[in-house]
Amino acid sequence: PVGKETHIALFPSSGMGHLTPFLRLASLLLHHHCRVTLITTNPTVSHAESRLVSRFLSSYPQVTQIHFNLLPLDLSTVNSTDPFWIQSETIRRSAHLLSPLLSSVSSPPLSGLISDVMLVSYVLPVAQTLRLPNYILFTSSARMFSFFAYLPTITSISNVGSVFDGEDLHIPGINAPLPRSSIPPLLLIQNSLFADMFFSDSLKLSKLDGVLINSFKGLETESLETLRSRKLMEDLPPVFAVGPFEPCEFEKEEEDSHSDSDSSTALAKWLDEKPDGSVVYISFGSRTALSKDQTREVGDGLVKSGFKFLWVVKNKRVDKEEKEGDLEEVIGEELMEKIKENGFVVKNWVDQGKILGHKAVGGFVSHCGWNSVVEAAINGVRVLAWPQHGDQKINAEVVEGSGLGMWVRNWGWGGEKVVKGDEIGEKVREMMESQSLKLKARDVGEEAMKVAEAGGNREEMFKELIGDLKR
Ligand code: BUP
């Protein structure tokens, strides 16, 4: 009804790859006059997450925060050593405690809950008990969502390998088949947390009220069309292509607290002095640390490419574990000297939104975490895909298929082999020198702008979503 205020609770899972799109979604919902309540878990895994949450809350004082204290998890009951997976499982197993917290939200009462795709099995029963519409934000590509929705309808957790045996997987309504080599490796490990989550959550999709995806026509035209028209399967809930999510003001201000402000000023100055489109930016995301050998080969490759480069180096999966002096130790003095001629190296973190939006940056060597792909797309920056794990090969297929970038398939998953500097340098050069790639990436960027402008397709999607929530 007219006049009813839409009040939405948001519940992200762990890691920057999940938190960031949730906060960008919050910002878009506020822009569309919704009231927002954010559920924040205590503790978080990384410093990056807690800093981003406090930045967000101080920028938007009108947002209500629900502090959600997690129950301790018995580690002997989880088959993972990855702190982000463990945290995600901790959130799942604590989810029943949400019920009293959500039911106490009253002025105005909640219209719906948008929770993380990784929490479906545990959050949906809570929402059902409270008679609260439950939507999810799928934090990867529409292509990955098609795979997620479809695979469990044709096989069981113990037979994933068999549907691929020697073949590609054909997903209804999607032209480019999915090769066996692209499936997230953890899916082939039956008792991994990921495989368990993937299967149990996927089979509950039809019970949800809707699925939000940070993607857009122009980047994933076919997959989105297939999902929205229910060509993939009849009982899918409505899919809303609410992307592209662009980096927000509250993220930019955070820069100084991540790295020391002297080095961020030096970086800004370094970039400002470079010609348009001349710099390659290299980052493998917030939760991938390359091996020492691979890190050195990357450095060697960047030097050999002959291009100017800005390189974010991580040597620990979790930022809290990084120590002073790590960078020099990993890269080594000799290589560090060569790097200084053409490169700028930052340990652990930069304001990526700002970097990709800088006119000096022309190319991006990326692991293809989905947020990074969308950020490159918004800015029309071409990508050299180097998927490391999880959904990243499926996202790299989107990069290649949309024209946003190129992918050297035989580099395999991160850590599978050490790719040599000579080859890295050659491919970086190929990406930077390709006129056709440059133009195609620019087209994708223009499409993103069109979708995101006032009156564009993204606004239509938000109107549809909010209309749905008001019913
Ligand atoms: Br590293 C890094 N600065 O230095 P993805 C990341 N980010 O702003 P991930 C920075 O974190 P999953 C840095 O812009 C993006 O929004 C980046 O998300 C930002 O990859 C986010 O790209 C990272 O999806 O997550 O973190 O590997 O494994 O969940 O895909």
Side-chain angles (χ1 to χ4, degrees), residues 382 398-406 436-441 444:
R382 55 203 182 279
V398 177
V399 165
E400 202 180 45
S402 63
L404 184 62
M406 55 186 265
S436 74
L437 215 51
K438 184 176 170 180
L439 295 178
K440 280 195 254 168
V444 175

Side-chain angles (χ1 to χ4, degrees), residues 16-18 20 24 283 285-287 312 348-350 352 367 369-372 375 389 392:
M16 289 299 274
H18 293 256
T20 307
R24 290 177 184 169
S283 170
S286 67
R287 47 193 282 183
V312 183
N348 200 35
W349 195 266
V350 291
Q352 181 166 299
H367 70 311
W370 187 243
N371 298 292
S372 295
E375 289 158 18
H389 56 83
Q392 294 158 12

Side-chain angles (χ1 to χ4, degrees), residues 14-18 20-21 24 48 52 84 118 139-140 247 251 254 258 281 283-288 312-314 346-356 364 366-375 389-392 395:
S14 77
M16 289 299 274
H18 293 256
T20 307
R24 290 177 184 169
L52 189 63
F84 293 100
M118 305 230 304
T139 52
S140 181
E251 298 171 52
E254 199 194 15
H258 265 302
Y281 166 61
S283 170
F284 295 97
S286 67
R287 47 193 282 183
T288 299
V312 183
V313 181
K314 276 180 75 66
V346 182
K347 196 175 143 192
N348 200 35
W349 195 266
V350 291
D351 182 344
Q352 181 166 299
K354 197 165 155 189
I355 301 296
L356 287 171
F364 180 15
S366 171
H367 70 311
C368 293
W370 187 243
N371 298 292
S372 295
V373 172
V374 175
E375 289 158 18
H389 56 83
D391 56 349
Q392 294 158 12
N395 299 342

